[in-house]
């Protein structure tokens, strides 16, 4: 507490709060200076961004706070006199918002580096409920047939459920994830093939994850209600038929 101004009225409360934090959690702090709001011989006001991350403990939410600190000169040194928190953003909420934005405007790509022995993962809000699910694209080891991997698996890990499907790969596969019909649920587009590329489309239903259709060609672009390949353009209505 040597950096806290002992003349301020809240010194005892601040001291107790710091002790409670130290006794309850092991925290990591990262502070960056945003701007100096005022500077004089006796007082400085500075706006900082403080990121607090839990290392050990329970029931603590990692957060990023915008704080204005007031420092005053006392006994040959600058000491904190007061702090005002302007805004607090919780890290998981920020990540979910980023994922939600990604779901609306872009599609997610999981690309295997080769045809065998791979694991590619991504966290994404599959059903737009504010919770991130984990999507894994997994390739088994090379066995007797070096021209095809018969042990490729896609798993979608929800909070209390994991949905797997098993596929083949004739080349390093690519999995695209996108809400093609803009209903809040993401569809899966699995692309593989050696000389001839095809895309297998999967959709969620009450029965789980089901194969929906096979689309010819290599994917060029996904847009709302439209799949563009190097062969032609498919609208969602055409695919549904």
């Amino acid at each position: 507490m040597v950096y806290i101004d002992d003349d301020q009225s809240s010194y005892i409360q601040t001291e107790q709060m710091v002790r409670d934090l130290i006794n309850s959690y092991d925290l990591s702090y990262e502070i960056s200076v945003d701007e100096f709001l005022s500077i004089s011989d006796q007082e400085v006001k500075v706006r900082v961004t403080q990121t607090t991350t839990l290392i050990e403990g329970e029931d603590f939410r990692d957060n990023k706070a915008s704080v204005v600190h007031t420092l005053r000169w006392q006994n040959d040194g600058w000491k904190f006199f007061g702090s005002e928190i302007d805004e607090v953003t919780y890290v998981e909420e920020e990540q979910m918002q980023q994922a939600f934005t990604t779901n609306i405007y872009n599609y997610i790509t999981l690309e295997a580096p080769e045809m065998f022995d791979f694991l590619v993962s991504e966290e994404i809000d599959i059903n737009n409920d504010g919770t991130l699910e984990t999507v894994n694209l997994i390739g088994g080891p090379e066995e007797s047939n070096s021209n095809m991997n018969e042990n490729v698996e896609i798993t979608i890990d929800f909070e209390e459920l994991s949905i797997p499907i098993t596929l083949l790969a004739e080349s390093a596969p690519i999995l695209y994830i996108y809400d093609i019909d803009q209903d809040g649920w993401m569809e899966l587009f699995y692309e593989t093939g050696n000389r001839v590329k095809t895309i297998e489309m999967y959709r969620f239903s009450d029965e789980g994850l089901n194969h929906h259709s096979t689309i010819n060609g290599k994917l060029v672009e996904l847009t709302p209600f439209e799949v563009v390949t190097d062969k032609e353009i498919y609208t969602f209505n055409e695919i549904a038929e």
Side-chain angles (χ1 to χ4, degrees):
M1 301 288 290
V2 294
Y3 297 107
I4 305 296
D5 186 342
D6 51 19
D7 288 339
Q8 64 165 302
S9 59
S10 60
Y11 180 88
I12 296 176
Q13 293 93 326
T14 303
E15 182 180 30
Q16 185 60 50
M17 182 185 69
V18 171
R19 291 186 186 278
D20 290 343
L21 280 173
I22 292 174
N23 292 334
S24 301
Y25 308 105
D26 184 5
L27 301 174
S28 171
Y29 298 94
E30 181 179 334
I31 298 176
S32 60
V33 175
D34 297 329
E35 61 176 326
F36 286 92
L37 302 176
S38 63
I39 300 175
S40 69
D41 292 340
Q42 297 298 319
E43 183 179 279
V44 172
K45 286 192 175 184
V46 58
R47 186 189 306 279
V48 304
T49 296
Q50 176 177 302
T51 303
T52 308
T53 306
L54 179 66
I55 297 176
E56 186 175 351
E58 297 180 355
D59 299 325
F60 182 88
R61 301 171 69 188
D62 295 347
N63 63 82
K64 185 182 296 183
S66 176
V67 185
V68 175
H69 291 303
T70 300
L71 295 88
R72 290 182 177 175
W73 187 264
Q74 183 188 69
N75 299 328
D76 299 325
W78 290 101
K79 293 190 176 183
F80 287 95
F81 180 79
S83 299
E84 296 181 7
I85 299 175
D86 285 345
E87 182 181 11
V88 177
T89 303
Y90 293 101
V91 173
E92 70 271 17
E93 293 177 356
E94 187 176 50
Q95 291 172 342
M96 288 178 186
Q97 181 59 39
Q98 291 172 351
F100 177 73
T101 303
T102 301
N103 288 359
I104 295 176
Y105 300 108
N106 301 296
Y107 50 87
I108 304 299
T109 304
L110 278 69
E111 186 169 0
E114 51 192 359
M115 192 164 62
F116 300 98
D117 281 320
F118 58 81
L119 169 59
V120 187
S121 298
E122 186 73 44
E123 288 190 337
I124 182 172
D125 188 354
I126 287 287
N127 55 352
N128 197 25
D129 65 350
T131 301
L132 297 178
E133 287 76 41
T134 301
V135 180
N136 301 300
L137 178 61
I138 307 166
E142 182 175 353
E143 297 179 345
S144 58
N145 187 355
S146 60
N147 296 317
M148 179 179 295
N149 189 344
E150 299 178 351
N151 296 301
V152 176
E153 187 174 71
I154 298 171
T155 63
I156 299 93
D157 298 332
F158 292 86
E159 188 173 356
E160 298 180 355
L161 175 69
S162 181
I163 300 177
I165 54 173
T166 302
L167 301 161
L168 304 176
E170 296 178 338
S171 61
I174 304 175
L175 178 64
Y176 302 95
I177 307 170
Y178 182 65
D179 183 8
I180 191 73
D181 59 351
Q182 305 293 284
D183 67 347
W185 278 84
M186 310 291 273
E187 281 73 44
L188 274 59
F189 300 85
Y190 176 79
E191 178 185 287
T192 188
N194 191 0
R195 288 177 296 177
V196 178
K197 296 286 186 181
T198 59
I199 301 167
E200 304 297 333
M201 177 179 167
Y202 291 83
R203 297 192 72 199
F204 288 93
S205 70
D206 293 339
E207 300 175 354
L209 185 63
N210 302 308
H211 183 264
H212 182 271
S213 55
T214 299
I215 304 168
N216 293 322
K218 179 178 175 61
L219 185 71
V220 174
E221 186 177 27
L222 291 169
T223 59
F225 301 98
E226 192 173 78
V227 179
V228 181
T229 74
D230 59 356
K231 300 296 183 182
E232 57 184 297
I233 299 174
Y234 299 84
T235 67
F236 180 76
N237 291 335
E238 290 172 343
I239 297 170
E241 296 172 357

